[in-house]
Amino acid sequence: MKVLLAQSAGFCYGVERAVELTKKTAAESGCCVMLGDLIHNAHVVAELEALGVRKIAGPEDAPEGATVVLRSHGERRELVEELAARGLRCVSAACPNVLRIQTLVGQAEEDGRQVIIIGERNHPEIQGIASYCRHPLIFGGPEELAAWLAEDPTRRDLPITVAAQTTCIRELFETSIKILKKQCTNAKIFDTICNATRKRQSEAAEIAGRVDAMVVVGDPRSANTKHLTEICIERCPRVLQIEGADELSPDFFNGCSVAGLTAGASTPAGIIKEVYATMSEEIKNVESGEESFEELLNQSFKTLNTGEKVTGIVTAVGPTEVQVDVGAKQAAYIKASELSDDPNAKPEELLKVGDEIEAYIVRVNDIEGYAELSKKRLDTVKVWENIEQAVEDKTVMDGVVTEVNKGGVVVSVKGVRVFVPASQSGMPRGADLDTMVKSKVQLRITEVNRARRRVVGSIRSVADEARRAAQDEVWNSIEVGKRYTGTVKSMTAYGVFVDIGGVDGMVHISELSWSRIKTPSEVCKVGDSMEVYVISFDAEKRKISLGVKDRGVNPWEDFMSKYRVGDVATVRIVKLMTFGAFAEVVPGVDGLIHISQIADRRIEKPGDVLSEGQEVEAEIIAVDEEKKKISLSIRALLAPAAQDESEVEGE
């Protein structure tokens, strides 16, 4: 077994500069204090305090005449101004990259732009950067950013300037940028992730994908250390984050052939070397199989080993953790965050006292007598096993689309990322895949590489199979007159195509309405639900003719029941001809107004007086019941008035 050490592990340029500058200042100054922890590493802070650099909580705690060192993460603008107002000498140990971001966002807001920062809202670096703006917006990742844009569509036109925390996870930043580039019209994007951070994350991901166990060294408060751990967990089944070599246990390396080691940017080289040496020694002990007297003695007890599976009984359920009796001398518990992949799940909703539970042992502290377990990690292993089996069984699995990736989409299947190529997404070529995000889908797993944590799936194959099954069901049961509730899929000048359950049928324009219409869009649109019935079908040619008009309603009988010759009706002009105009009397029944019956004077064409869609009063002057024809007259209603006027003039 061997240990792979990341080349970029340990102090970055900014941290190393901050530590050396503080040591130099302490040597030159009679009284040197640091405002908060210089860096997120308790060992380094303790070393500086041993050199006489006292830590203070705020400007009010600084002694008169002291030199104040500002931490590597940068400081809030108002605190710097308060120190200056007191006349205290300040030495900034802030990373040059952080200072650059502070200047960048301040200038952007002066230029009238909305500043957006991608990072951890409560991290000192972010708080310092944000203090150089009046109205900054801080988003933890793409989900928060997308939600903000969706709240108000006008925000997409705002002049936006975007920067990132220097230790931001690259994938989070790049996904956020894709959203901005796609939706915003005036966004300036600055990739402010530190090059050292980028390299360290890339190396950690590469090594984690090649090893059986991964160790990340760093202070638990360190953002970049936490991000390294998150990246490693995605690629390696066994990950341990520690502060020093004393937290290592030989049991952690049981069954490992290759182990990896990386460290956060605030971890001193000395600690990394100590961990590396301890790992090498522990591995030798594991391989040699030597047992100490203490180990032989402890064999009489049930021991808990990191990385092993254990079964226990739930003894208490609290809001933040669950206590488990695993039959060992150590007390065992599971944090709420390690119970489920669902961040909103509550312990009391998942478990109750007396339940039997299986979990992984992630940490054993023999000194304090407790063991930390994780059900979530065990569930993940089981999911991987299920996914591998699903390839052989061609099982259909449920998932949620979480993001759009290059060339396709990513679907979360019980916490495992499954890549679905665009061609297998079930969407038409060139379609906007962003519309799939957050949607629930069914898919088949087509490829699994557990070592590389790579899973490929197909939504299309499931959708195609469901469509074929639905089509077969339709064709097996179709008959003339059968009614369906369908969905309008597309429209043409001569009719619409309606999906009646995986099969499209054609509704001719003449079958859409009893009224005369020019285009289908007058009565429906794509996506509308439509009640249809089968007029005819050809199973061999796979063609179906559908109707919408209610054949139980006879428009002519409706007309005859309402009107007689001599009645006046309000009619709608539906078509203009050279010889007259056709007008709808009731839906499905039209009458002709001859050109001679349109006005009380001679006109050249009907369009001189009438227009399509116009409603007018007309008298029914003739009805041919056999041929179902109606003659109408507007003139008949105008003639008496015209005659009265001529009589007045004669007098």
Side-chain angles (χ1 to χ4, degrees), residues 371-390:
E372 185 178 338
L373 312 179
S374 173
K375 180 179 182 296
K376 182 169 69 174
R377 297 190 194 183
L378 180 61
D379 290 343
T380 299
V381 172
K382 290 181 177 178
V383 168
W384 275 100
E385 293 173 352
N386 292 339
I387 284 179
E388 289 175 332
Q389 188 63 39

Side-chain angles (χ1 to χ4, degrees), residues 136-147:
L137 294 175
I138 303 170
F139 298 116
E143 294 82 5
E144 293 180 18
L145 176 61

